[in-house]
Amino acid sequence: MKVNYIKTPTDIDKSTIGVGNGSRARSQKKHAPPRGLLYAIYYMALAVIGVPVDIVAIVILSRRNCGLSRCISRYLVSMAATDLLVIITAVILNRIPAIYFPGSYLSITPVCSFSTALIYAARDSSVWLTVMFTFDRYVAICWQKLKAKYCTHRTAGIVVSVVCTLGCVINIPWYFLHEPIYVIDKVPWYCKPSSLLYSFLLWTIFDWTDRILTPCLPFLLILSFNTLTVRHILAASRARRRLRNCHSGEKQSDPEMESRRKSIVLLFAISGCFILLWMPYVVYFILSRFQIGYTMNGYSDPIFILMESANMFQMLSCCTNTFIYAVTQTKFRKELKLLMKLPLNISHSLAPSRK
């Protein structure tokens, strides 16, 4: 999945390289994405739904009226922003044009290479911001002494800046690692990893490092942080319950534990959704390591279906957080209702001036 336009190994027809305009339409068909109503509807719906919900999340969370700390708000706003960039670069500027407008100028090799670098920069930033948010909540819950120094608005800003900067820098090589599949009228079309790269050890290291950094390592880190957090919460809850029962002799409500419970629900919902939606990608990555030399036989091949499913679930993860906020956060729902009523309020306020 390091190329923008998924293709089978039999797609490259060397006899078409350097041909004229007469064969351009035939060559474009070989590199169109999987045709079908499912793909056409799915990616269009993802764009139509994903862009507004991410923008809504950014607007509401930026106002900081949801009862969340400035630290948490900064992480959530940054996550929504990077998710929005993934939808724009991977869906709107990549998948949709490839399905509805195959062979457009977005398929020219330099544009395709630049698009690839942008997609992976946005994706890596989104994934690692989720990891850092999980780590921030782990520190806040399990390390009370470190919480005062680390879980601050300023630290969150530094972490977000570093993650996004590294996400852009480490993906710059992808712009230079592609070559055209076709050259038609001296114009290079489509992208594929350069055939020379496979003979270099440096390329192998880069490719493995990229796959491990996203999403394998984040996958393991999120699982580890959540496991440690759950263990700490269960131990602290039992100790606190025993202490309160000894003093009061009867069970009473605990406002502090109730507040902590709401924070934990938000954390586990975000990280749990991330793990579920990225699971197919991890399965495909592990399986592909044992399928060296395997040749996919068209769009009905099981490996191709798994790869496409992994792509679809991965992109879906970029528009689920807003729904999680709406389900788990009461104040977010109130802000969402106010935002939805805003156009009506504006129209009512302008109505008298029209008379």
Side-chain angles (χ1 to χ4, degrees):
M1 289 176 290
K2 289 302 180 186
V3 291
N4 287 346
Y5 300 94
I6 299 172
K7 53 192 180 298
T8 62
T10 58
D11 282 338
I12 301 175
D13 183 0
K14 294 182 180 179
S15 63
T16 61
I17 297 178
V19 297
N21 291 330
S23 61
R24 176 176 172 178
R26 294 194 300 271
S27 65
Q28 288 171 353
K29 291 180 181 179
K30 295 184 178 182
H31 302 283
R35 293 287 180 174
L37 189 61
L38 173 63
Y39 298 106
I41 293 178
Y42 179 82
Y43 288 114
M44 183 61 71
L46 197 62
V48 171
I49 297 174
V51 171
V53 299
D54 284 334
I55 293 176
V56 166
I58 293 171
V59 172
I60 293 178
L61 294 170
S62 297
R63 297 175 63 182
R64 296 200 297 271
N65 293 329
C66 298
L68 301 171
S69 68
R70 296 181 65 193
C71 175
I72 295 178
S73 296
R74 171 157 284 189
Y75 277 114
L76 297 184
V77 169
S78 302
M79 290 161 60
T82 52
D83 286 345
L84 177 62
L85 289 177
V86 173
I87 295 294
I88 293 174
T89 57
V91 178
I92 297 178
L93 298 180
N94 184 277
R95 290 289 175 154
I96 290 178
I99 292 174
Y100 290 93
F101 312 103
S104 67
Y105 288 104
L106 291 173
S107 304
I108 297 176
T109 302
V111 179
C112 176
S113 298
F114 184 68
S115 173
T116 300
L118 285 180
I119 290 170
Y120 292 119
R123 182 205 64 174
D124 290 357
S125 299
S126 175
V127 169
W128 278 97
L129 283 176
T130 304
V131 175
M132 298 312 298
F133 170 71
T134 306
F135 177 72
D136 179 89
R137 293 300 86 200
Y138 163 71
V139 172
I141 294 171
C142 302
W143 298 90
Q144 292 297 314
K145 293 182 179 180
L146 183 59
K147 175 183 176 180
K149 295 182 179 180
Y150 182 81
C151 301
T152 64
H153 181 256
R154 181 175 179 275
T155 301
I158 294 174
V159 171
V160 169
S161 300
V162 170
V163 168
C164 293
T165 300
L166 290 178
C168 294
V169 171
I170 64 177
N171 285 289
I172 289 176
W174 284 115
Y175 178 80
F176 303 98
L177 296 179
H178 289 95
E179 65 182 12
I181 295 177
Y182 296 110
V183 178
I184 302 175
D185 293 336
K186 298 182 180 181
V187 178
W189 289 90
Y190 301 100
C191 295
K192 68 171 183 176
S194 175
S195 57
L196 297 176
L197 294 174
Y198 295 102
S199 60
F200 289 102
L201 177 62
L202 188 62
W203 158 253
T204 304
I205 295 174
F206 177 78
D207 185 47
W208 269 93
T209 302
D210 178 77
R211 300 298 182 93
I212 291 173
L213 288 178
T214 306
C216 295
L217 183 57
F219 202 83
L220 294 175
L221 288 175
I222 290 175
L223 282 175
S224 300
F225 291 144
N226 282 344
T227 301
L228 294 173
T229 302
V230 168
R231 288 177 57 186
H232 179 86
I233 290 170
L234 292 177
S237 298
R238 286 193 295 266
R240 189 174 180 85
R241 193 178 302 114
R242 286 195 301 266
L243 182 62
R244 289 178 64 85
N245 290 340
C246 290
H247 285 284
S248 63
E250 59 182 9
K251 293 184 178 179
Q252 297 180 356
S253 61
D254 190 340
E256 182 177 340
M257 292 304 298
E258 183 65 21
S259 176
R260 180 177 293 185
R261 185 189 66 82
K262 293 180 180 179
S263 177
I264 293 166
V265 168
L266 176 62
L267 167 64
F268 287 176
I270 293 175
S271 56
C273 185
F274 171 84
I275 290 172
L276 288 175
L277 294 178
W278 275 86
M279 181 70 76
Y281 187 99
V282 175
V283 172
Y284 167 72
F285 167 73
I286 296 173
L287 185 62
S288 65
R289 300 302 96 182
F290 299 96
Q291 298 289 334
I292 299 175
Y294 180 84
T295 300
M296 287 188 292
N297 298 315
Y299 298 141
S300 61
D301 189 282
I303 299 299
F304 177 81
I305 294 175
L306 175 60
M307 181 173 65
E308 267 303 304
S309 300
N311 276 330
M312 294 168 74
F313 282 113
Q314 170 195 332
M315 295 178 191
L316 178 62
S317 68
C318 295
C319 60
T320 55
N321 284 351
T322 303
F323 297 102
I324 292 174
Y325 306 149
V327 171
T328 61
Q329 302 294 307
T330 303
K331 291 185 178 181
F332 185 91
R333 290 196 297 271
K334 292 181 179 179
E335 289 294 314
L336 180 59
K337 291 177 181 178
L338 291 175
L339 188 63
M340 294 176 65
K341 294 178 180 178
L342 184 61
L344 293 176
N345 294 335
I346 294 177
S347 63
H348 286 313
S349 64
L350 294 178
S353 62
R354 294 176 181 174
K355 296 180 180 180

